[in-house]
Amino acid sequence: MQIRDLPYSDPGDPDVRSGPRFLIWLGRNQIRGQLKAMSWGLLHQCSIAGLPLGVGFAVQAVVDRSGGRLALAGGLIAVLGVLIAVGDTMLHRTAVTNWITAAARIQQLLARKTAELGSALTRRVAAGEVVAVSTGDVEKIGWFVEALSRFAAAAAALVIVCVGLVLYLPSLGVLVALAMPLLALGVLPLLPRATRRADFQREKAGKATELASDTVAGLRVLRGIGGEELFLGRYRRASQEVRKAAVRSARMWSLISAIQVLLPGILLISLVTYGAALARDGKIDVGQLVTVYSAATLLLFPLRHFEEIAMAYSFSRPSAQRAVRVLSLSRVARPSTVDASPTGDLYDPVSGLMAPEGLFTAVVCGDPDEAGRLADRLGGHAQPEVTKDGAAEDGTAAHEVPSVLLGGVPLDELDLDAARTAVLVQDKDPVLLSGTLRDLLDVPSSGRVTAGDALSAAQCDDVLNALAQASVDADGDPMNTRITERGRSLSGGQRQRLALARSLVTDPEALVLDEPTSAVDSHTEARVAAGIKALRKDRTTVAFASSPLLLDLADRVALVHRGTVVAVGTHRELLRGEPRYRAVVTRETDDEIPDRPRKDEAIHAIDTIEEIEERA
């Protein structure tokens, strides 16, 4: 796999049973790149190891005053220099390719998982953790994949050189061969502690990243309530914990580095002392001593790869574990048995919520979190929360909880694309990607709703005027005006209406809206609600809301209490006859019981309006 061939047509099915198994899966999927890097690494390492042989020949040729052998030694050194340059260049090229392709594979896996889970992803995993995995953790995992081939080449070179030294000069080669395993494995007892400290550091860093991400996302709200200093203090404490953990981890790695300097130093001193004694007694030549000493010195270079692979693994293992936590999430679905997209009523057997085909149904929940979970469930995105004993929150077995039905067809029996086409859920906090307004509205759709109709229904006239004035490069066309990341240049109400227009353009069989008008004023809210009802005529629409302006325009209203539909009717019927509904819609509390006559007067006013409408 070359960088120019990215992205992968299929990144594969990862092994998400554990972090180490995920790393093994990555390495196995890059076996060709790993073998190629290992081959170039062997050429590089063995060429370096061959330099002492040429130097030894040259020294011995000078001692023997042999010009021919000196020229031969010089030619050997020149050839080895060329091989070192070629091997090092190609090793770097292939190793970096392995790094980038591994990181790209992980990024594609994360993107695929994000598309599969949709808004349910951040409900099941913290947004900061997803950010940490897709940025820093990807780099750490790629580092380990890249270092693996260089470590394998270094280990093979050590074995080859040690065997060669034993055959070349057994008296000193055996000493080097026996010492190398001790040098390579001498720090092994320290690695578990270093790994634990590195894991702790990465855990602290991940929490700090989550805190920073959440703080930035809510910065506008924090400023509104004057909470910047509070969260700044929290992040300062979190960053100090990261710093302390990093210092403790660095101390351990410094100790490992010091040992890897001390032990080779002892070997070289012993080698020189023993070799000098042998040369003095005439048992070995000076050139042979120089050759063995030079080889032992150069062997310290591949030994460094043992420290690097240990560090890479200690940092990549927790990163891989975090990646596994995200990639192991799934949309549980049975094999598809339905070919076409179904039509009909949208029904949730768990809550009893029914959204008849072609009608505008409003849903009122006293708990906003419950509304979000039910909205995700209607789109087939979220699964029931499972407790430690394997049961759902309602006490039933997790696998026995029935799926939402569309036209009598379970959504989890549909392919993901078919399910998304049939039912679209707009989250309470929709995200606008950067790009032009035309790009924003260029989404898969039925083709029956134009961008202009959707913008008009969502009451985006003021947004279009603001966009037209904001960019001089758009030639006065708001559709060509660029929207900043997450629509940060727009107000909350403007972002919400543009996101609503994007959802209306798609024109799905069933559209589920979670608080679609929570960020607009009452006058705009009434017009938006009327626009939605008119544009979605004869299409199934479900809106989670508690605003009387929107509820009064709905064809039917369902009250959900503790996860179950307890009342169904029109807004005015429920306001008159259902106290729990009235408490949610009018924000009534126990402290407001003395104000009951005023609420009764409001209901009487509604009755009067109905009579006037009937007479008209």
Side-chain angles (χ1 to χ4, degrees), residues 117-152:
L117 296 176
S119 61
L121 175 63
T122 52
R123 296 183 187 275
R124 302 168 69 178
V125 179
E129 183 167 354
V130 178
V131 173
V133 171
S134 60
T135 54
D137 288 337
V138 167
E139 292 294 322
K140 295 296 186 298
I141 297 172
W143 175 30
F144 173 75
V145 173
E146 178 263 343
L148 189 60
S149 56
R150 292 190 286 108
F151 163 73

Side-chain angles (χ1 to χ4, degrees), residues 32-97:
R32 292 184 60 184
Q34 294 289 343
L35 291 176
K36 186 183 297 184
M38 182 178 174
S39 300
W40 289 116
L42 273 175
L43 176 63
H44 174 60
Q45 299 282 357
C46 292
S47 298
I48 291 177
L51 284 176
L53 187 61
V55 173
F57 283 162
V59 171
Q60 192 62 43
V62 172
V63 172
D64 298 339
R65 299 183 182 276
S66 174
R69 283 190 293 166
L70 181 61
L72 182 62
L76 177 61
I77 292 174
V79 172
L80 291 174
V82 172
L83 293 178
I84 290 172
V86 173
D88 193 20
T89 301
M90 297 306 298
L91 171 62
H92 179 75
R93 179 186 178 91
T94 53
V96 171
T97 299

Side-chain angles (χ1 to χ4, degrees), residues 18 73 196 287 310 458 569:
S18 67
R196 287 195 298 270

